[in-house]
């Protein structure tokens, strides 16, 4: 199916829309769709209200393809419908204003008459809204991806547009189509591909892969019909007979009873971990807060495998889907329990095949999409799979059963320590001589439940908390979780991206921890300008952004900005502002330097060599030091103690 990316710009007496056809191409070696280059803008088609047959041209494109854009359900599809209805540019502008601010319907009789059209989308379209799998604005994404974040200089309420102003608006419009295409190509496409494979598996029309969210597509594939359940809001659960004895044998009865009777968050200290059980999952981390030097300190735990002790991660295979089968906690709105189990077993079969074909890989994508979505969808009241009692049982069974295993490991193995737990895995530190006993305990757990468990080995870990750590797997592969030492805004396998946060600092600290490479040297030798970039956005409650210059003047800035720290003191900080009852208040944008050099054009227009003399390298060095200005605690052979081997004072 052809993908036409599109975007509207609407003014009081004029509008335009740009369409861009997604090109054919292949993934590069880094699995990036970098064949979407700026030159593709030359192939775009822009249609304006000045053209006598604009409506017909638009409809011809829309009816022959899947139309793709960012936040189109709430805006562009509504504008498309207004044009389909034959509205004048002035009426289209009224609909546009109503989309943005519903209160404006009371501004005039005509606005009140047009108000119903502000929620009506163009019917019969095959469309993909990129906002469905994201948060934030398209401008956020442009800043993060290194694209231009500049906005048109033409006010959106301006009348009597000149040809030059129209050209400026069209240029801005075409750029946003290009940006949404880049966002799709680099981030979203693999997830859409998985949905297409699901349609192929279940013989559904490809259009549903674009129109439906994951949960709705899976509901369609599995023929799910929403049902009402008398026990929907029941809280108390009874452990499944398969695991009841195991949990009571290996946990204090008070813990088991508390979780069975209440879904409220439950915090406790167990096996030297601070454990948190909540109606969404479990997590724990080895306690090191007793080493805090002051209130602001967050001690970092360091553990390393050696000849006598080893870090081993045990991970339950497809834990929640497996529980849904083994403990009969699948959403009762799914009509075929056997069909769901067949998908799970097919997933296991393909996963363990030594030589996977492309068909195997495609089938695995479809299976994973089903298995990874059903649990969460069963907890959302707006979805067909909604079955909250089954969902909470799955979650709480999983918490207790995994916690019971962790507790048994500690009480059975000599000097064993639990470094962390999360939803489906346990990272343990044990004697190498007791690996066979560990395997026996895992086998018992799996035999009891019917749920498989896998092991992998870890060389070392620096753990700030369960959600922030640097880990090196056996063989040297590095894993970073959380924002503490985040190396990139883009994480493979995730459709969400994070703001740019001067990753040059995290990269330098990582090299210090791993290899003892001097932080200052790492930063001074880094020539990737994007590693120095910091992205910011004003947020919906603020009216705009200004930069306060050294001469006392405020300069208006875009709502999203990309900046680097500079030694040029004429550039000041960025402030976001709001207006309440005629009073304007300003707030500094947090985690930004005192002197900000904004680099808001496409990053390809900048060179490191030109900007390097203006970069405030000391700002980044100090920021990097702040990432490890904490107490380090080493755990070795059962004993935890302060260590100074990672202190950095240069």
């Amino acid at each position: 199916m052809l993908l036409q990316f599109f975007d509207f710009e609407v003014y009081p007496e004029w509008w335009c829309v740009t369409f861009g056809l997604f090109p054919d191409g292949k993934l590069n070696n880094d699995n990036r769709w970098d064949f979407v280059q700026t030159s593709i803008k030359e192939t775009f088609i822009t249609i304006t209200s000045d053209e006598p047959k604009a409506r017909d041209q638009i409809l011809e494109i829309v009816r022959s393809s899947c139309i793709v854009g960012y936040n189109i359900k709430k805006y562009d599809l509504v504008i498309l419908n207004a044009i389909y209805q034959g509205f004048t540019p002035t009426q289209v502008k009224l609909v546009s204003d109503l989309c943005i601010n519903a209160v404006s319907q009371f501004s005039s009789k005509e606005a009140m008459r047009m108000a119903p059209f502000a929620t009506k989308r163009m019917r019969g379209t095959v469309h993909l809204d990129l906002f469905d799998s994201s948060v934030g604005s398209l401008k956020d994404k442009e800043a993060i991806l290194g694209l231009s974040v500049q906005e048109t200089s033409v006010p959106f309420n301006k009348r009597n547009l000149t040809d030059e102003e129209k050209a400026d608006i069209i240029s801005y419009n075409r750029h946003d189509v290009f940006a949404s295409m880049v966002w799709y190509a680099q981030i979203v496409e693999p997830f859409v591909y998985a949905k297409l494979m699901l349609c192929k598996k279940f013989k559904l029309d490809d259009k549903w892969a674009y129109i439906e969210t994951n949960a709705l597509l899976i509901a369609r594939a599995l023929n799910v019909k929403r049902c009402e359940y008398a026990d929907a809001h029941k809280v108390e659960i009874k452990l499944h007979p398969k695991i009841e004895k195991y949990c009571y044998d290996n946990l204090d009865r008070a813990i088991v009873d508390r979780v069975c009777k209440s879904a409220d968050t439950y915090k406790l200290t167990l096996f030297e971990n601070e454990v948190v059980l909540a109606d969404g999952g479990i997590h724990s981390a080895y306690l090191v807060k007793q080493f805090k030097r002051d209130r602001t300190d967050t001690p970092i735990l360091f553990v390393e495998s050696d000849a006598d002790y080893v870090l081993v991660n045990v991970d339950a295979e497809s834990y929640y889907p497996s529980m849904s089968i083994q403990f009969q906690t699948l959403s009762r709105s799914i009509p075929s329990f056997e069909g769901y189990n067949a998908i799970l077993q097919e997933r296991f079969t393909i996963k363990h095949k030594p030589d996977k074909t492309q068909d195997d890989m495609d089938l695995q994508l479809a299976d994973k999409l089903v298995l990874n979505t059903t649990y969460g969808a069963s907890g959302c009241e707006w979805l067909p799979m909604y079955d909250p009692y089954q969902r909470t049982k799955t979650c709480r069974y999983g918490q207790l059963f995994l916690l019971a295993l962790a507790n048994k490991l500690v009480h059975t193995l000599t000097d064993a320590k639990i470094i962390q737990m999360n939803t489906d895995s346990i990272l343990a530190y044990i004697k190498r001589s007791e690996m066979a006993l560990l395997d026996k305990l895992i086998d018992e757990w799996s035999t009891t439940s019917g749920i498989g468990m896998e092991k992998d080995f870890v060389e070392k870990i620096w753990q700030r908390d369960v959600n922030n750590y640097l880990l090196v797997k056996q063989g040297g592969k590095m894993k970073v979780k959380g924002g503490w030492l985040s190396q990139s805004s883009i994480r493979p396998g995730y459709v969400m991206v994070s703001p740019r946060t001067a990753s040059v600092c995290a990269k330098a600290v990582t090299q210090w921890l791993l290899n003892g490479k001097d932080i200052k040297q790492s930063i001074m030798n880094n020539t990737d300008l994007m590693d120095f970039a910091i992205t910011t956005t004003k947020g919906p409650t603020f009216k705009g952004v200004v930069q306060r210059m050294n001469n006392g003047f405020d300069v208006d800035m875009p709502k999203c900005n990309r900046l680097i720290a500079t030694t040029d003191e004429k550039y000041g900080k960025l402030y976001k502002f709001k207006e309440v009852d005629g009073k304007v208040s300003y707030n500094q944008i947090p985690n930004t330097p005192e002197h900000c050099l904004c680099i808001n054009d496409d990053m390809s227009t900048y060179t490191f060599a030109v900007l390097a003399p203006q970069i405030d390298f000391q700002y980044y060095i100090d920021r990097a030091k702040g990432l490890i200005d904490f107490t380090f605690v080493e755990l070795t052979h059962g004993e935890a103690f302060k260590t100074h081997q990672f202190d950095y004072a240069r």
Side-chain angles (χ1 to χ4, degrees), residues 397-586:
Y397 287 173
Q399 291 176 353
L400 288 172
F401 193 42
L402 199 67
L403 188 64
L405 173 60
N407 205 36
K408 187 162 188 176
L409 294 182
V410 170
H411 286 88
T412 306
L413 304 174
T414 308
D415 291 333
K417 303 293 184 184
I418 303 301
I419 305 306
Q420 64 165 256
M421 291 181 62
N422 59 34
T423 302
D424 58 2
S425 67
I426 303 167
L427 178 60
Y429 180 61
I430 69 170
K431 287 185 174 181
R432 288 187 184 273
S433 60
E434 296 192 324
M435 276 300 303
L437 182 52
L438 173 67
D439 289 340
K440 183 178 178 181
L441 294 172
I442 291 172
D443 288 343
E444 178 195 20
W445 187 89
S446 292
T447 301
T448 299
S449 61
I451 298 171
M453 184 163 270
E454 299 175 311
K455 300 194 310 288
D456 62 276
F457 296 96
V458 174
E459 292 183 4
K460 57 186 76 174
I461 185 172
W462 290 264
Q463 178 174 282
R464 185 172 173 179
D465 56 59
V466 70
N467 293 313
N468 285 278
Y469 58 80
L470 166 64
L471 176 149
V472 180
K473 296 183 178 182
Q474 187 178 55
K477 185 177 181 180
M478 183 180 74
K479 177 183 178 182
V480 175
K481 183 173 182 181
W484 173 42
L485 295 179
S486 176
Q487 312 287 299
S488 172
S489 295
I490 300 170
R491 294 180 297 161
Y494 292 86
V495 74
M496 300 291 185
V497 297
S498 305
R500 296 274 176 180
T501 54
S503 59
V504 64
C505 303
K507 288 182 177 181
V509 168
T510 299
Q511 287 304 309
W512 166 252
L513 296 176
L514 291 175
N515 305 312
K517 185 176 180 180
D518 182 55
I519 289 174
K520 181 178 179 180
Q521 181 185 3
S522 292
I523 291 174
M524 297 297 293
N525 291 342
N526 190 316
T527 59
D528 187 339
L529 198 56
M530 282 300 283
D531 282 351
F532 291 84
I534 301 167
T535 58
T536 69
T537 186
K538 68 176 180 62
T541 61
F542 289 85
K543 186 176 181 180
V545 177
V546 297
Q547 183 170 20
R548 192 153 290 169
M549 299 305 216
N550 194 39
N551 60 11
F553 287 96
D554 287 350
V555 176
D556 289 334
M557 301 298 293
K559 59 187 177 184
C560 298
N561 290 276
R562 183 173 53 241
L563 58 93
I564 57 175
T566 179
T567 55
D568 191 338
E569 295 186 1
K570 74 181 178 185
Y571 297 104
K573 280 188 73 73
L574 295 182
Y575 292 80
K576 50 189 177 181
F577 65 89
K578 63 176 65 176
E579 187 174 349
V580 180
D581 297 329
K583 295 182 179 180
V584 180
S585 60
Y586 294 86

Side-chain angles (χ1 to χ4, degrees), residues 35-89:
F35 59 85
V36 179
Q37 301 292 335
T38 306
S39 57
I40 199 173
K41 292 182 184 180
E42 298 171 9
T43 68
F44 290 178
I45 298 171
T46 300
I47 301 168
T48 78
S49 56
D50 293 333
E51 300 172 43
K53 294 186 178 181
R55 175 181 177 276
D56 294 340
Q57 293 179 63
I58 291 171
L59 293 180
E60 183 178 354
I61 294 173
V62 167
R63 287 170 174 165
S64 62
S65 57
C66 172
I67 51 176
V68 185
Y70 199 91
N71 202 22
I72 61 175
K73 287 181 180 177
K74 292 184 178 180
Y75 186 77
D76 298 89
L77 291 179
V78 176
I79 300 303
L80 181 59
N81 181 63
I83 292 169
Y84 171 72
Q85 299 294 334
F87 292 167
T88 66

Side-chain angles (χ1 to χ4, degrees), residues 243-445:
I243 61 171
E244 183 176 23
K245 184 177 186 303
Y246 186 93
C247 290
Y248 277 112
D249 283 350
N250 295 292
L251 287 173
D252 189 296
R253 176 170 288 273
I255 295 174
V256 179
D257 290 345
R258 165 64 170 74
V259 174
C260 286
K261 290 178 181 178
S262 173
D264 293 341
T265 300
Y266 181 27
K267 297 181 181 181
L268 66 153
T269 301
L270 197 63
F271 42 73
E272 299 176 89
N273 273 229
E274 185 174 65
V275 181
V276 179
L277 301 104
D279 198 26
I282 182 174
H283 66 260
S284 81
Y286 187 81
L287 275 168
V288 290
K289 64 182 180 182
Q290 66 272 27
F291 293 95
K292 286 170 69 82
R293 62 176 182 250
D294 54 46
R295 285 194 317 169
T296 63
D297 190 22
T298 304
I300 297 169
L301 177 69
F302 172 67
V303 191
E304 183 175 16
S305 297
D306 59 22
D308 299 314
Y309 280 72
V310 63
L311 284 160
V312 57
N313 192 69
V314 293
D315 188 1
E317 279 194 292
S318 295
Y319 194 31
Y320 277 28
S322 294
M323 281 192 289
S324 295
I325 296 299
Q326 296 296 334
F327 307 151
Q328 293 82 48
T329 58
L330 186 66
S331 168
R332 290 165 289 187
S333 296
I334 297 175
S336 176
F337 180 90
E338 294 76 16
Y340 185 85
N341 187 33
I343 293 170
L344 179 60
Q345 298 311 315
E346 182 177 69
R347 158 81 173 117
F348 289 147
T349 300
I350 296 173
K351 180 180 180 181
H352 297 291
K353 283 182 70 172
D355 299 308
K356 299 180 181 67
T357 65
Q358 185 59 51
D359 286 343
D360 289 333
M361 299 296 290
D362 290 345
L363 198 54
Q364 184 172 241
L365 286 174
D367 291 342
K368 286 174 66 176
L369 188 60
V370 173
L371 300 172
N372 292 344
T373 304
T374 46
Y375 166 78
S378 67
C380 180
E381 62 180 311
W382 310 113
L383 295 174
M385 275 181 273
Y386 185 55
D387 192 349
Y389 190 52
Q390 293 289 81
R391 186 207 61 81
T392 192
K393 285 198 294 184
T394 304
C395 177
R396 287 146 75 186
Y397 287 173
Q399 291 176 353
L400 288 172
F401 193 42
L402 199 67
L403 188 64
L405 173 60
N407 205 36
K408 187 162 188 176
L409 294 182
V410 170
H411 286 88
T412 306
L413 304 174
T414 308
D415 291 333
K417 303 293 184 184
I418 303 301
I419 305 306
Q420 64 165 256
M421 291 181 62
N422 59 34
T423 302
D424 58 2
S425 67
I426 303 167
L427 178 60
Y429 180 61
I430 69 170
K431 287 185 174 181
R432 288 187 184 273
S433 60
E434 296 192 324
M435 276 300 303
L437 182 52
L438 173 67
D439 289 340
K440 183 178 178 181
L441 294 172
I442 291 172
D443 288 343
E444 178 195 20
W445 187 89

Side-chain angles (χ1 to χ4, degrees), residues 68-270:
V68 185
Y70 199 91
N71 202 22
I72 61 175
K73 287 181 180 177
K74 292 184 178 180
Y75 186 77
D76 298 89
L77 291 179
V78 176
I79 300 303
L80 181 59
N81 181 63
I83 292 169
Y84 171 72
Q85 299 294 334
F87 292 167
T88 66
T90 300
Q91 291 172 321
V92 172
K93 173 61 172 169
L94 274 175
V95 173
S96 173
D97 290 343
L98 289 163
C99 287
I100 298 167
N101 180 16
V103 177
S104 65
Q105 67 179 291
F106 303 110
S107 61
S108 67
K109 288 183 178 180
E110 180 67 357
M112 293 178 69
R113 189 178 73 83
M114 300 296 294
F117 292 97
T119 57
K120 292 182 179 179
R121 304 174 195 158
M122 174 77 176
R123 291 185 177 182
T125 61
V126 178
H127 59 268
L128 171 63
D129 191 340
L130 300 176
F131 185 72
D132 284 345
S133 56
S134 185
V135 293
S137 69
L138 181 60
K139 286 296 169 189
D140 292 328
K141 310 304 182 297
E142 292 174 2
I144 292 165
L145 294 174
L147 304 175
S148 171
V149 298
Q150 299 290 1
E151 301 175 19
T152 179
S153 59
V154 184
F156 283 102
N157 287 318
K158 190 174 188 307
R159 298 176 180 273
N160 300 315
L161 296 173
T162 65
D163 289 342
E164 291 77 11
E165 288 171 332
K166 290 179 180 179
D168 182 82
I169 296 165
I170 289 172
S171 176
Y172 164 69
N173 180 230
R174 292 166 77 87
H175 173 71
D176 274 1
V177 172
F178 171 71
S180 62
M181 191 178 284
V182 172
W183 171 248
Y184 174 82
Q186 292 196 13
I187 308 296
V188 180
E189 193 280 337
F191 298 90
V192 174
Y193 184 78
K195 292 165 73 176
L196 287 167
M197 294 306 99
L198 185 74
C199 289
K200 180 180 178 182
K201 176 182 174 71
F202 288 95
K203 297 179 173 55
L204 299 174
D205 192 311
D206 282 355
K207 71 177 183 180
W208 300 116
Y210 300 107
I211 295 173
E212 303 278 38
T213 62
N214 288 356
L216 290 176
L217 177 62
I218 290 163
R220 182 180 295 277
L222 300 181
N223 197 28
V224 176
K225 305 297 181 185
R226 184 182 177 93
C227 302
E228 301 295 331
Y229 302 103
D231 59 5
H233 301 292
K234 185 177 177 181
V235 173
E236 190 167 338
I237 66 170
K238 187 179 187 306
L239 280 176
H240 192 275
K242 276 190 176 184
I243 61 171
E244 183 176 23
K245 184 177 186 303
Y246 186 93
C247 290
Y248 277 112
D249 283 350
N250 295 292
L251 287 173
D252 189 296
R253 176 170 288 273
I255 295 174
V256 179
D257 290 345
R258 165 64 170 74
V259 174
C260 286
K261 290 178 181 178
S262 173
D264 293 341
T265 300
Y266 181 27
K267 297 181 181 181
L268 66 153
T269 301
L270 197 63

